[in-house]
Amino acid sequence: MAFYYGVSGQSSSAAAWASPAAGMVQPPPPPPSSMPWSKAEDKVFESALVAFPEQMPNRWALVASRLPGRTPQEAWDHYQALVADVDLIERGMVDAPGSWDDEAAGAGGRRTRGGGEDRRRGVPWTEEEHRLFLEGLEKYGRGDWRNISRWSVKTRTPTQVASHAQKYFIRQASVATRGDTKRKSIHDITTP
């Protein structure tokens, strides 16, 4: 049975059941659940989207069949919200989180010094990250740290890219004025 909402807002199946011509009177379908989606449901939902491609008939009924307590309309609405979120992220309207995992995000958060824990030290940049930074710098230009972070050096945040760039430009300026008196640095690499 196909599932869609007509102009009246009723599903096609509900309209048929409530039709006096059909001789059957059925109560209207339950209102959509206002329950938020759990992480487990999101994982099952994403797997179902892969398992049931767009061209498959009754796709949303099949997706909902993998999600106990969810209707095809809820699956469709959740998909539309997901598509809208992805669109906003791709257009740069929303910062993508550094980590999708709550546990990893909690462990990497800011720490207070009053609690006796030391400030977390940065991880040195690898040569590969620096080369990717230089490629991003050529492509997006100086100051576009967000795009360099998002599309070139995906392992670093925009703040980390900006800090690295600041050190890089200071190093380039000092090498030009002083010569090679300092020890070698990753910032000496100038070609991607």
Side-chain angles (χ1 to χ4, degrees), residues 79-109:
Y79 177 74
Q80 291 302 312
L82 180 66
V83 168
D85 287 348
V86 169
D87 180 55
L88 287 173
I89 291 168
E90 286 178 347
R91 289 190 292 142
M93 305 297 287
V94 177
D95 286 334
S99 171
W100 292 101
D101 184 13
D102 285 342
E103 292 153 13

Side-chain angles (χ1 to χ4, degrees), residues 51-66:
F52 306 116
E54 288 185 43
Q55 305 80 12
M56 184 164 284
N58 298 326
R59 180 185 195 197
W60 301 111
L62 293 169
V63 169
S65 72
R66 299 244 176 124

